Amino acid sequence: MTDESSIADISPPKTTLNDDKTSLCQQLMSRLQALNSLTATTAVSKKQIWLEFLSLWFDILQNSVSDVPSCYKECSRLPHNMINKTSFYQLKRETDVARQTFFTCLSLLNLSHIKDYLKSTNENGAVSTNQAYCTQVNFMLSLLSEALPYLPLLSTDEEKIIEKSTELFTLLIEYVDLCMPIKSKTTEQKDYKLDSPIMDILSVLWNLLDRTVFVPTFLKCDLPKKVVLWLAQARMLLVESRQPLIHIALNISWHDEGADELNKYRAIAVIKQYQKKYIEDDSRLIVFGMVLALLSTPEQLKNDAKDMKIVLDKLLQLVINADINKSSRYNGFHISEPLGVLVKMFVVEEQTLDYTLCRAETEPPSDMHSTISLFISLFFKFSNALKGDNGLEQFTLTAILNILWSISFHPIYGQELLSDEKLIDTIKTFTDDHNQQEIVEQYRRRSMESIKSATYGILHNLNRKITNDIASDEKIVTHDIRESNSMKGKSDKPMIMISYCHKNDSFCTELFNLLTTHNDAFDIWIDRTHLQGVDDLWELIAYGIERSSIVVSLISSQYFESKSCRQEFVYAADSQKKKIVPVLLEKFEPKGWLGK
């Protein structure tokens, strides 16, 4: 038998919390010494050292400064030293390095004691309450800003991590707000310089919002209101301090809900005031033009015709210049950006299309033939986008098809498209469901419709027979669907078709429910009951219009901005001479193609 005294001899000594902290600190200090002793001689070794640094840095900072004070002290210059030792500013261009750096910094900033520090700093008027935390947070923000531009597509899980960081982003936005001239109570009336950490936060906001999917996350942080307030103070800021603000506003305005929020705080008036006095160079002029175009209503665009013509000149010139470059970029802009703005402008005001195609002032000079040829060549350039997973290229293809759709509504311009047989044949291929499988899910403004919708719209506008001749087997499928969906329950009663924008779905439901109480007198055709299991099939919608005696159109600003709704309305009123019963929603006044 083993006596109790021998058991006592082999039992581990009792430890206290302080002993545990001391042991942890010693382990971390040993790792710090080992890291500092490593030699970075090759690209591979530099990468390994940087990734080891990120791991150790996180392990240290996940503890509060009171738990491992000596480690924080030793760590005060560590990020700076590692940046130099590993040539991080070159290394960050590698995707895995950028990703690991970004998410390590984001995880650190989301730690409870770091967020508590940010809260206390905000409560003290942006004055640091702890120098140890201040130093590390500044490094986190700097590295976050440096890594983000080199992150490609994010996984769904990574997007969720960012979307769940609302509390952190709110704290950072509040920190920026406290450092702006008015809140900081500066006596300087101009040339006020924002500190590096603030510029890093603005850079992070700018780059994150470049991915429109994140705009709703920042709406929860009240960012649109803050941005308008910051732009109103731009007169007091240095040029480099105020430049990120308009880019943040532009990225917010790419999302319809973001644009609505900016308009709620009179963003157009503030931006125009800024535009008159503080445009530093020509590249900023195009940014202001893009923001105003995305925020403006059709009536505002029409009233600002002179300024908008200048913007259209700049947008088309930017497309021309970007097309020349292999990267499809020019002066910091990707070609998708001016194309995306043109999509919206061509929808809401027809005169913008006429001006852009026929009278825009560019270098070299352009005319209707050369401009339409430019859009056609861009279509061919990006026509293979669906074969890959590049979301930016797919967005560009979607924008180009929407522009070609707008062009196809006009008989003269449409003939330019119709005369290009290769164009028509290539567009036809996008009606094939197999060509839609690789589309990267991403946000589209309500003025920009899907590739398939645009494809059917173009083919219908140019010549409806083209749509019917896509393929013999598709004609059979279309006929079968017609029989099973559109002609199901066919009767001798007159039919009413409801034409509406899906943004007005709730009102449409109320109207549909009301009309169905009289189904003994007439039948109702609506997409939700007649297009079940069918996606974007214009053939069936056209057939519904043809069978209807009356078309009830729910007219709204969203209806006006939808090319699909325009196609339904024009086909019903002009081609089929159907009786149209307009139902005006909100306080919308029909204009443009609706006001004819």
Side-chain angles (χ1 to χ4, degrees), residues 535-574:
D535 181 34
D536 292 331
L537 199 50
W538 164 251
E539 279 289 288
L540 294 182
I541 297 174
Y543 190 63
I545 293 172
E546 293 163 11
R547 286 197 56 214
S548 299
S549 303
I550 294 174
V551 176
V552 176
S553 296
L554 307 187
I555 307 298
S556 65
S557 58
Q558 293 85 6
Y559 189 94
F560 177 60
E561 292 181 16
S562 167
K563 285 186 286 293
S564 290
C565 294
R566 177 180 182 178
Q567 187 151 306
E568 291 176 20
F569 188 93
V570 170
Y571 185 63
D574 296 348

Side-chain angles (χ1 to χ4, degrees), residues 27-39 49 52 56 82 85:
Q27 293 174 22
L28 293 172
M29 291 294 285
S30 296
R31 289 175 61 188
L32 270 169
Q33 292 173 1
L35 179 65
N36 286 325
S37 67
L38 295 175
T39 304
I49 291 172
E52 174 59 30
L56 175 57
M82 288 296 113
K85 187 173 187 175

Side-chain angles (χ1 to χ4, degrees), residues 227-228 230-247 249 267-280 284 288:
V227 169
V228 175
W230 300 342
L231 284 168
Q233 303 172 57
R235 60 183 174 79
M236 304 173 70
L237 297 173
L238 275 173
V239 172
E240 56 266 28
S241 292
R242 62 178 179 249
Q243 280 185 352
L245 305 181
I246 192 64
H247 286 277
I268 291 177
V270 172
I271 291 171
K272 282 186 175 181
Q273 186 66 26
Y274 180 2
Q275 182 185 25
K276 288 179 181 178
K277 296 183 179 180
Y278 303 108
I279 291 184
E280 294 80 27
R284 300 285 76 74
F288 281 92

Side-chain angles (χ1 to χ4, degrees), residues 50 53 78-89 139 142-143:
W50 180 259
F53 152 68
L78 181 64
H80 175 77
N81 294 338
M82 288 296 113
I83 287 171
N84 292 332
K85 187 173 187 175
T86 63
S87 303
F88 171 72
Y89 296 117
F139 278 126
S142 176
L143 292 174

Side-chain angles (χ1 to χ4, degrees), residues 492-549:
D492 294 330
K493 291 182 292 185
M495 177 174 283
I496 295 175
M497 178 186 183
I498 302 177
S499 174
Y500 70 105
C501 175
H502 284 271
K503 293 289 184 180
N504 306 130
D505 191 67
S506 58
F507 182 88
C508 181
T509 298
E510 292 182 33
L511 177 63
F512 176 72
N513 291 338
L514 175 63
L515 292 177
T516 52
T517 62
H518 301 281
N519 57 12
D520 57 328
F522 49 76
D523 292 325
I524 303 170
W525 196 103
I526 188 170
D527 58 0
R528 66 181 67 167
T529 58
H530 286 73
L531 295 183
Q532 292 178 353
V534 181
D535 181 34
D536 292 331
L537 199 50
W538 164 251
E539 279 289 288
L540 294 182
I541 297 174
Y543 190 63
I545 293 172
E546 293 163 11
R547 286 197 56 214
S548 299
S549 303

